[in-house]
Amino acid sequence: MSFRRGVVRQSKFRHVFAQAWKSEHCIDDVRVSRVTWDGPLCAVNPKFIAVIIEAGGGGSFLVIPVSKSGRIDQSCPTVCGHAAPVLDIQWSPHDDNIIASASEDCTVKVWQIPDAGLTSPMTEALVTLEGHSKRVGILAWHPSALNILLTAGCDNLMCVWNVGTGELVYQLDDAHPDLIYSVSWNKDGSAVCTVCKDKALRVIDPRRGAVLKVREKVHDGTRPMRAVFLSDGKILTTGFSRMSERQLALWDTKDLSEPMAVQEMDTSNGVLHPYYDPDTNMVYLCGKGDCTIRYFEVTDESPYVHFLSLYSSKEPQRGAGFLSKRGVDVNKCEIARFYKLHERKVEPISMTVPRKSDLFQGDLYPDTAGLEPALLADEWIAGQDAAPLLISLSGGYSAPPSKHRDTLRGKPKVPPQDSGAMSAPLSAPTPTPTSATRDMDEDVPQPRTTARETDGNYNAATLDKKHRRNVECCKECLSVHLPTAKCDSREFRGPGPKLRPF
């Protein structure tokens, strides 16, 4: 049988697998909001996790450090400055302590969270933005300009704010005839794509207030849609077909007459939220009420959108938070992390590429967007555009911990390599074995010896592998016994065998 090249598509993300964290690393007793608005209800950055929660009278959301785990006390302080339920929250891409919240009370508030987290309920916002006449449910920070925030509400308005001054910079009141479902900035922040209840996809320049492109009936179904800009200028949309099947479509902004690719998935009724990773060009689809997370890779090769795999669990998700690339664990080849919201629990789920090497994998972690903004708000308003400034993730990389981290407290002392090293009497305490010795004897249990447990010229810490086999080991405690050692195991009592000299 001849071997045909190209049968299996080559990609370093073909074997990405998802794994939920253990229960002791989850966050319990979180009363996730039951609001009917179809949003993610969670926002995550490398410092904090924010979750919209149930609140009697008004709206509030919980902010806790990302390292927090275990049970959350009911008296834990929250951000509770809104007069009605909170619908959306988004962290600033240029400051990990700044978060914006949108509410049914028609306002948008911007908060500054202390580095140590909340110690008391926070009711006073840094800035309150008032310009919508109905509830506000969509927030989108500019990817490269400092303090530029876009908001959209049920009044069909789209507003652009300068958060630094609290000023309404642009307002688009005639671009959408009906409810706005989704808003997404492109890579350099020069345009946004939106999907509306009229089933149309629009590409809009917010500074000129002009609609650049329109595509009617992106999806034939009547249920809500979502759209996200990709880094190469294409647009990915999710929606429903005429037969209520969930769909994924890819569009080229140069020609919106026909989609580049369309995939149908299932007949569930949950709206699929796309989470896009520009560094790996992967898209994760997570639906409210689903038990699965699907992930795809977008390439320049037909069929352009390649299904990779899916993560499935028993419990449905109420929402999900997507961690920015700066917060993933590069030591474990983690390329993405979700925080899945259950009814009363937050469960982290890691997306990992299996690699055997412990070294930093540069091909999995290209330079990613950092905290430093490329533009100031006034520069963007004046007409300038710039892509986000990139940083390397290798700077945050740390060497893997020693396998003997419980016993090594400091830098190991390397014993001399001359022939007299074996004949020198052992002094207390026993020198720590070198890294070369640990690598050579990786599969051999390390001895627990003291000065009393050595006999003459033999030092258990420096015996090579050949002589280590001559030492009888206890099956229960896995300790190497020297002639004067004693063992409390039931299977072995008394002195060990005599060792032959080197």
Side-chain angles (χ1 to χ4, degrees):
M1 183 176 65
S2 62
F3 175 75
R4 293 184 302 168
R5 295 186 61 184
V7 174
V8 179
R9 188 180 65 90
Q10 297 297 321
S11 172
K12 53 180 171 286
F13 302 113
R14 282 181 54 227
H15 302 291
V16 172
F17 68 95
Q19 186 173 15
W21 291 21
K22 295 181 179 179
S23 58
E24 56 264 27
H25 300 301
C26 297
I27 305 171
D28 298 316
D29 277 356
V30 178
R31 298 167 297 145
V32 180
S33 174
R34 297 180 179 273
V35 67
T36 57
W37 185 259
D38 201 356
L41 304 180
C42 180
V44 191
N45 68 14
K47 275 188 180 182
F48 300 105
I49 304 172
V51 181
I52 302 175
I53 61 173
E54 281 289 312
S60 63
F61 57 95
L62 180 71
V63 177
I64 55 177
V66 75
S67 58
K68 173 73 174 176
S69 62
R71 181 178 178 274
I72 300 296
D73 192 85
Q74 298 300 321
S75 60
C76 182
T78 60
V79 181
C80 51
H82 283 285
V86 178
L87 301 181
D88 194 16
I89 48 176
Q90 292 291 332
W91 291 101
S92 169
H94 304 122
D95 191 334
D96 286 340
N97 296 72
I98 299 297
I99 185 171
S101 61
S103 171
E104 287 187 359
D105 62 6
C106 309
T107 65
V108 174
K109 295 179 182 290
V110 180
W111 315 82
Q112 183 172 15
I113 309 300
D115 285 328
L118 297 178
T119 56
S120 61
M122 181 175 288
T123 57
E124 295 297 328
L126 282 179
V127 182
T128 299
L129 308 176
E130 298 178 345
H132 290 275
S133 59
K134 294 184 179 179
R135 60 180 181 172
V136 187
I138 297 175
L139 299 172
W141 290 94
H142 194 283
S144 58
L146 182 66
N147 290 337
I148 294 295
L149 176 65
L150 186 147
T151 64
C154 294
D155 51 4
N156 308 338
L157 288 181
M158 198 167 65
C159 301
V160 180
W161 307 83
N162 182 354
V163 175
T165 61
E167 177 187 1
L168 177 60
V169 182
Y170 302 107
Q171 179 174 311
L172 288 79
D173 53 3
D174 55 356
H176 301 89
D178 214 328
L179 178 66
I180 302 171
Y181 284 144
S182 172
V183 175
S184 175
W185 292 94
N186 64 351
K187 185 177 180 179
D188 61 0
S190 60
V192 296
C193 68
T194 67
V195 283
C196 181
K197 196 173 181 179
D198 63 354
K199 304 181 185 179
L201 168 67
R202 293 173 175 84
V203 179
I204 301 174
D205 184 347
R207 285 175 295 198
R208 291 191 299 160
V211 179
L212 306 179
K213 301 275 185 176
V214 179
R215 172 64 166 94
E216 303 290 341
K217 286 193 176 181
V218 180
H219 297 278
D220 292 330
T222 58
R223 295 188 56 80
M225 300 178 295
R226 295 292 184 269
V228 60
F229 251 121
L230 306 187
S231 57
D232 58 357
K234 298 181 179 67
I235 299 176
L236 186 138
T237 62
T238 62
F240 293 80
S241 68
R242 192 185 303 273
M243 303 303 293
S244 296
E245 294 177 323
R246 294 197 291 189
Q247 290 181 330
L248 167 70
L250 183 66
W251 303 84
D252 188 353
T253 52
K254 298 177 182 178
D255 183 11
L256 294 177
S257 59
E258 292 293 333
M260 298 176 62
V262 177
Q263 289 193 19
E264 294 183 349
M265 281 163 283
D266 53 29
T267 55
S268 297
N269 58 1
V271 179
L272 287 172
H273 294 266
Y275 297 90
Y276 175 62
D277 182 2
D279 301 330
T280 60
N281 225 29
M282 289 177 61
V283 177
Y284 303 86
L285 299 184
C286 177
K288 196 172 183 180
D290 287 359
C291 298
T292 59
I293 299 176
R294 295 175 173 84
Y295 35 104
F296 301 78
E297 184 179 4
V298 183
T299 66
D300 295 330
E301 305 171 358
S302 180
Y304 306 108
V305 181
H306 306 272
F307 174 75
L308 295 176
S309 184
L310 62 85
Y311 165 79
S312 182
S313 61
K314 295 180 180 179
E315 298 184 17
Q317 55 226 7
R318 302 280 300 277
F322 187 60
L323 179 64
S324 65
K325 188 57 69 71
R326 292 181 292 110
V328 299
D329 189 350
V330 298
N331 297 322
K332 297 180 180 178
C333 294
E334 181 186 38
I335 60 171
R337 188 188 305 169
F338 279 88
Y339 285 81
K340 176 181 174 180
L341 301 186
H342 297 256
E343 187 174 357
R344 294 186 68 89
K345 184 174 75 170
V346 180
E347 178 186 36
I349 300 173
S350 293
M351 306 289 177
T352 307
V353 177
R355 293 284 175 94
K356 293 182 178 180
S357 175
D358 289 336
L359 300 177
F360 176 74
Q361 305 295 312
D363 60 327
L364 299 182
Y365 301 102
D367 291 352
T368 188
L371 287 175
E372 189 69 23
L375 298 172
L376 297 178
D378 294 337
E379 294 174 338
W380 180 80
I381 294 171
Q384 298 185 35
D385 293 319
L389 300 181
L390 305 181
I391 60 171
S392 173
L393 291 178
S394 61
Y397 173 75
S398 59
S402 169
K403 297 178 181 178
H404 306 279
R405 58 184 180 273
D406 293 333
T407 57
L408 296 181
R409 300 299 181 185
K411 185 177 180 180
K413 298 180 180 179
V414 180
Q417 300 298 323
D418 54 78
S419 60
M422 287 300 200
S423 60
L426 179 67
S427 60
T430 303
T432 306
T434 64
S435 59
T437 307
R438 289 196 301 272
D439 294 338
M440 180 179 65
D441 300 332
E442 182 178 29
D443 54 348
V444 180
Q446 293 294 328
R448 296 197 299 265
T449 61
T450 61
R452 186 179 63 82
E453 294 176 356
T454 58
D455 182 25
N457 297 331
Y458 303 108
N459 182 354
T462 54
L463 289 178
D464 63 8
K465 193 171 184 179
K466 175 181 177 183
H467 292 82
R468 196 73 64 79
R469 296 195 191 100
N470 295 330
V471 181
E472 185 173 355
C473 297
C474 168
K475 295 181 180 179
E476 290 188 7
C477 66
L478 297 179
S479 299
V480 178
H481 299 281
L482 295 178
T484 58
K486 294 182 179 180
C487 179
D488 294 331
S489 172
R490 297 178 181 177
E491 296 188 16
F492 181 87
R493 294 184 184 277
K498 295 294 183 180
L499 301 180
R500 293 175 295 176
F502 290 92

